[in-house]
Amino acid sequence: ETGVTQSPTHLIKTRGQQVTLRCSSQSGHNTVSWYQQALGQGPQFIFQYYREEENGRGNFPPRFSGLQFPNYSSELNVNALELDDSALYLCASSSGLAGVTDTQYFGPGTRLTVL
Amino acid sequence: KNQVEQSPQSLIILEGKNCTLQCNYTVSPFSNLRWYKQDTGRGPVSLTIMTFSENTKSNGRYTATLDADTKQSSLHITASQLSDSASYICVVTLTGGGNKLTFGTGTQLKVEL
């Protein structure tokens, strides 16, 4: 186990709804990154938070937003859900920014299904 | 077009055999290349991390190589076990831009008796 937890494990929503996914980082880690993994594909980078500030964003629309709290846990919010948002959402925690040999530890993911 | 290409897409081998997975990338400049193992329905687990100046890195039965000139990496698995059945993902970290990882689509490995 990596020490990174995510909730909920599974979630079913309908188009147009909003969803909030949560991630608790590993103890001592101040950086959280979020990824979307469609079935059969590699994860796609959504964004990263470092010490409560967004630090880098992938090619995702503004309806994907996030937050990092003082304890370094994080939330991913998705508004106006679309069918293509159905995926496994992974968060990964690490210590520091862009560490050359810094390991990102992944949580088990949240499986989101949009009907 | 994916900037990190992996081959083969899937592979079946017998327990005890060796195998080599390939990764070609076009992203640059990069700070490091990682190999992850992902069991079905679970988050990826890091196997190796190599900087652009490293040629090889081992982790038990896993050995990764990197050729920064040709932008190729390989992951060699020795004496495979049934528990090695998983998706193996090659990941390149871009310099700057918030530690952005670019993932390949993975090689699905199945080890059979």
Side-chain angles (χ1 to χ4, degrees):
Chain A
E1 297 299 325
T2 63
V4 179
T5 60
Q6 292 186 242
S7 63
T9 307
H10 298 86
L11 198 55
I12 299 175
K13 291 285 189 178
T14 57
R15 276 186 305 175
Q17 285 188 308
Q18 179 266 344
V19 69
T20 296
L21 310 182
R22 295 179 175 82
C23 172
S24 292
S25 57
Q26 189 174 76
S27 177
H29 287 181
N30 53 21
T31 305
V32 173
S33 305
W34 284 93
Y35 299 86
Q36 180 194 67
Q37 186 175 23
L39 199 61
Q41 301 293 316
Q44 298 292 315
F45 176 74
I46 302 176
F47 43 57
Q48 181 187 77
Y49 278 84
Y50 171 67
R51 291 185 175 179
E52 304 178 57
E53 297 286 332
E54 184 178 295
N55 180 70
R57 188 180 181 92
N59 296 322
F60 281 81
R63 59 189 184 85
F64 285 79
S65 63
L67 197 60
Q68 187 177 32
F69 299 99
N71 66 355
Y72 302 131
S73 64
S74 178
E75 287 183 351
L76 165 65
N77 299 291
V78 187
N79 294 322
L81 284 168
E82 301 177 359
L83 296 179
D84 286 347
D85 295 333
S86 295
L88 179 69
Y89 287 85
L90 297 163
C91 81
S93 78
S94 56
S95 57
L97 274 177
V100 173
T101 56
D102 176 44
T103 296
Q104 291 200 354
Y105 295 89
F106 283 83
T110 293
R111 172 70 64 187
L112 172 65
T113 302
V114 182
L115 302 176
Chain B
K1 187 176 191 297
N2 200 350
Q3 296 174 301
V4 181
E5 299 280 349
Q6 291 187 241
S7 62
Q9 188 174 11
S10 62
L11 182 63
I12 300 174
I13 62 173
L14 295 177
E15 186 181 30
K17 297 297 185 182
N18 304 335
C19 67
T20 300
L21 314 181
Q22 300 292 341
C23 174
N24 296 333
Y25 60 92
T26 58
V27 293
S28 65
F30 78 100
S31 65
N32 61 64
L33 186 146
R34 311 160 188 242
W35 282 92
Y36 280 89
K37 176 186 178 185
Q38 185 175 22
D39 293 311
T40 302
R42 308 195 69 160
V45 174
S46 179
L47 296 176
T48 63
I49 303 175
M50 291 180 292
T51 67
F52 64 88
S53 61
E54 293 180 290
N55 300 120
T56 186
K57 183 68 69 77
S58 291
N59 177 6
R61 294 182 296 103
Y62 302 103
T63 299
T65 65
L66 174 63
D67 185 334
D69 291 330
T70 61
K71 297 185 177 180
Q72 295 180 325
S73 176
S74 66
L75 179 69
H76 187 74
I77 304 175
T78 304
S80 61
Q81 300 175 358
L82 297 178
S83 60
D84 291 334
S85 297
S87 178
Y88 290 83
I89 307 175
C90 171
V91 186
V92 176
T93 302
L94 298 177
T95 55
N99 196 19
K100 178 181 175 180
L101 305 188
T102 301
F103 287 73
T105 54
T107 291
Q108 190 66 43
L109 174 66
K110 185 174 183 181
V111 181
E112 296 181 337
L113 290 172

